[in-house]
Amino acid sequence: MILSDKVLIIGGGVAGLTAAIELADSGVKTVLVERQHTVGGNALDLYKAFPTDDCFYCFEASRFRPGIRKCFYRSALLDHPNLELRTNTTVEAVAGSPGNFEVTLMVGPQYVDPMRCIMCGLCQKLSSAFVLISPQCQPQAVVYVPDQADDNVKEAVEKCPTKAINLEAQPTEEVIRASDIVVATGYHEMKPVGMEEYHYEELPDVVTQLELARMLDPNGETSGQLVRPSDGGPVKHVMMVQCVGSRDENYYPYCSKICCVFALKHADIIAQEREGVQVSVVYMDIRTYDRHERYYRKSRRAGVNFIRGRVQTVSKAKDGGLEVIVYDSLLDRYLKFRVDLFVLSTALEPSAESNEMAQMLGIRTSNGFVASLDPTSGDEVIVGDHVYACGTALGPAEVPESVTQARAVALKILQGRK
Ligand SMILES: Cc1cc2nc3c(=O)[nH]c(=O)nc-3n(C[C@H](O)[C@H](O)[C@H](O)COP(=O)(O)OP(=O)(O)OC[C@H]3O[C@@H](n4cnc5c(N)ncnc54)[C@H](O)[C@@H]3O)c2cc1C
Ligand code: SF4
Ligand code: SF4
């Protein structure tokens, strides 16, 4: 391989972004393909991050890049001479051979040109078809949602000061050659629809941890207010339940590894930032691995109530909120609670098309996640001949682990070059 051979990275979450920037900074031509309109993946929705409790918009991975501050999403992704970013784009087919792949990309319509949009917000004031996915979105541009088009869309096109909007834009197909492919397609937070005991999607006050993170975030739909989704009433008691869909033969047999930590991160944020709100956690085991044990200790000190057992039923309470019956396995008793918000720590599952992607690339999977080519080798990021994976595409992982794997991928690719 020579340095000028292109590398294709599929997925622009923390892992894919890190691999892309490491490679591009090392002189390797890199194409980063992201199916959404903005990069960042799940991390965009997580508010504060363990282990540092920083705002999730910032990552230290880009601190050595000249001309930008530490925020990852404001990094010069659009201007990097070695990096081509394709948002709203998916991989349609992979042909050719390892070291010389021929990849067909489906590039979705680019209604708003990110190089022209100055985020003035004028189109958003005129029509709800123009949305800002996140204040930290990258590329820094609004997105046009055709399904939400109304009578004011044309006026927005005419009044856009930089003529950034083209409603006639069409999808295009593009074929690129790449010597190496990196799978960084990430994970999906399981939505436990149909799990009888929890009534998720039937009772509005039953939410997942990702949905709670959106409620805590000042940039979220409730502007950071912790209120009952059912009636906007105040939240005085939050109950969390662990291992929903994980360690369960009917759903996912594996432990999702980080859900104890992010549940306790949220418990800690509520204890620190929301005066007078009680938090209870129903668990089978608390697995705060490595340095994260401090979240468990902090939560206990802050008065979080830990109940070892299982939730029996959740139902609507007469005066608003929810009634929850829990079997406490230490006391060998059933306990009744009145709570305002019931939060499910659900499994991290493989992203929707991971099987399709694996078939296209001829690589193995395990529990639906991408699997190492040789699990005994210690090189977990090598998943095929000239095919690599990093981050949660390989299984549940926190951000620092995803970043470390992405750097390992970049190093492996560089080692194979002249
Ligand atoms: C509730 C919750 C709280 C968390 N809190 C923390 C925390 O405080 N600290 C921490 O370290 N970790 C935390 N995590 C874990 C963190 O979200 C992950 O470690 C991190 O986001 C993984 O990044 P990733 O790039 O591997 O995957 P993702 O963020 O899932 O990114 C994958 C990207 O690939 C794109 N993609 C997928 N398929 C395709 C395709 N076919 N073509 C093109 N693009 C595709 C997706 O759109 C997405 O942008 C939390 C997780 C949850 C659920
Ligand atoms: S009016 Fe134009 S420049 Fe302003 S936010 Fe909309 S698309 Fe961007
Ligand atoms: S990390 Fe905790 S909540 Fe998540 S599956 Fe493992 S034990 Fe259950």
Side-chain angles (χ1 to χ4, degrees):
M1 291 302 118
I2 54 173
L3 206 58
S4 61
D5 285 331
K6 272 186 186 169
V7 173
L8 170 69
I9 297 177
I10 311 169
V14 174
L17 278 169
T18 304
I21 288 176
E22 292 283 329
L23 285 164
D25 278 353
S26 307
V28 177
K29 296 281 179 206
T30 307
V31 181
L32 175 60
V33 166
E34 167 55 53
R35 69 175 167 196
Q36 305 289 349
H37 288 276
T38 176
V39 297
N42 279 292
L44 274 182
D45 290 331
L46 299 181
Y47 185 37
K48 285 185 178 178
F50 66 77
T52 58
D53 299 333
D54 276 330
C55 145
F56 226 119
Y57 301 138
C58 305
F59 289 100
E60 59 137 33
S62 56
R63 73 182 184 280
F64 299 120
R65 288 185 51 69
I68 56 160
R69 296 173 309 139
K70 79 172 187 173
C71 181
F72 211 78
Y73 301 104
R74 292 194 192 280
S75 62
L77 277 180
L78 290 187
D79 303 328
H80 201 300
N82 292 328
L83 182 53
E84 290 172 43
L85 174 63
R86 298 272 194 286
T87 51
N88 193 18
T89 299
T90 50
V91 174
E92 284 300 290
V94 179
S97 53
N100 187 19
F101 294 108
E102 188 183 288
V103 184
T104 308
L105 304 179
M106 181 57 71
V107 186
Q110 305 289 312
Y111 296 113
V112 178
D113 182 347
M115 297 304 275
R116 287 183 172 212
C117 177
I118 51 168
M119 304 247 284
C120 68
L122 200 145
C123 55
Q124 289 175 273
K125 281 188 199 130
L126 289 168
S127 167
S128 56
F130 295 93
V131 295
L132 183 61
I133 291 178
S134 156
Q136 305 292 342
C137 63
Q138 184 72 28
Q140 292 265 289
V142 298
V143 167
Y144 172 67
V145 185
D147 292 351
Q148 288 166 215
D150 52 30
D151 295 345
N152 298 332
V153 163
K154 274 202 178 131
E155 192 184 345
V157 176
E158 280 156 22
K159 290 197 171 153
C160 170
T162 59
K163 302 287 169 241
I165 311 168
N166 170 17
L167 298 186
E168 308 304 318
Q170 296 294 324
T172 51
E173 214 176 73
E174 189 186 338
V175 178
I176 61 161
R177 289 203 172 270
S179 59
D180 302 86
I181 296 179
V182 181
V183 183
T185 46
Y187 72 95
H188 181 252
E189 187 201 44
M190 178 192 170
K191 303 293 174 202
V193 182
M195 285 182 96
E196 278 173 12
E197 62 274 47
Y198 301 127
H199 301 284
Y200 177 74
E201 280 198 342
E202 291 164 38
L203 297 171
D205 298 330
V206 178
V207 299
T208 65
Q209 289 287 357
L210 212 48
E211 288 158 359
L212 173 64
R214 296 304 299 141
M215 292 173 83
L216 295 170
D217 189 338
N219 289 315
E221 294 75 29
T222 60
S223 306
Q225 279 192 61
L226 204 50
V227 289
R228 287 198 299 246
S230 61
D231 59 3
V235 169
K236 299 219 175 84
H237 189 173
V238 178
M239 178 172 272
M240 301 179 181
V241 58
Q242 301 305 104
C243 301
V244 175
S246 305
R247 306 172 69 199
D248 182 338
E249 293 300 330
N250 296 316
Y251 295 92
Y252 297 106
Y254 53 83
C255 165
S256 290
K257 192 166 113 180
I258 60 170
C259 18
C260 278
V261 192
F262 61 62
L264 296 185
K265 172 188 73 169
H266 287 162
D268 187 49
I269 290 172
I270 294 170
Q272 302 300 326
E273 297 177 5
R274 315 296 158 119
E275 216 180 326
V277 180
Q278 168 70 46
V279 183
S280 306
V281 179
V282 181
Y283 70 99
M284 292 199 290
D285 303 289
I286 293 290
R287 296 183 173 176
T288 43
Y289 64 106
D290 196 12
R291 61 211 184 283
H292 303 308
E293 184 69 6
R294 80 182 170 93
Y295 282 100
Y296 178 60
R297 281 198 228 108
K298 264 178 94 183
S299 303
R300 288 213 86 108
R301 275 202 301 272
V304 173
N305 183 23
F306 287 88
I307 306 151
R308 188 168 196 282
R310 294 304 285 168
V311 169
Q312 293 299 302
T313 57
V314 182
S315 55
K316 203 163 171 35
K318 284 195 191 82
D319 57 341
L322 302 165
E323 194 175 272
V324 186
I325 310 283
V326 179
Y327 171 67
D328 186 320
S329 60
L330 296 179
L331 299 176
D332 191 18
R333 273 174 53 191
Y334 287 91
L335 307 172
K336 187 159 61 171
F337 295 89
R338 160 76 179 70
V339 309
D340 299 295
L341 204 56
F342 188 68
V343 187
L344 308 168
S345 300
T346 57
L348 272 65
E349 59 186 11
S351 75
E353 306 110 30
S354 59
N355 267 333
E356 207 183 302
M357 181 71 61
Q359 269 179 10
M360 211 181 329
L361 294 167
I363 56 179
R364 292 186 323 113
T365 57
S366 167
N367 287 318
F369 291 101
V370 176
S372 308
L373 186 61
D374 176 5
T376 59
S377 71
D379 278 336
E380 63 172 339
V381 297
I382 301 176
V383 298
D385 195 359
H386 288 270
V387 187
Y388 304 83
C390 53
T392 47
L394 284 164
E398 56 173 23
V399 168
E401 191 179 350
S402 303
V403 167
T404 305
Q405 289 167 343
R407 287 179 174 157
V409 166
L411 205 63
K412 296 268 171 223
I413 291 174
L414 287 170
Q415 278 168 348
R417 306 222 156 187
K418 289 178 193 153

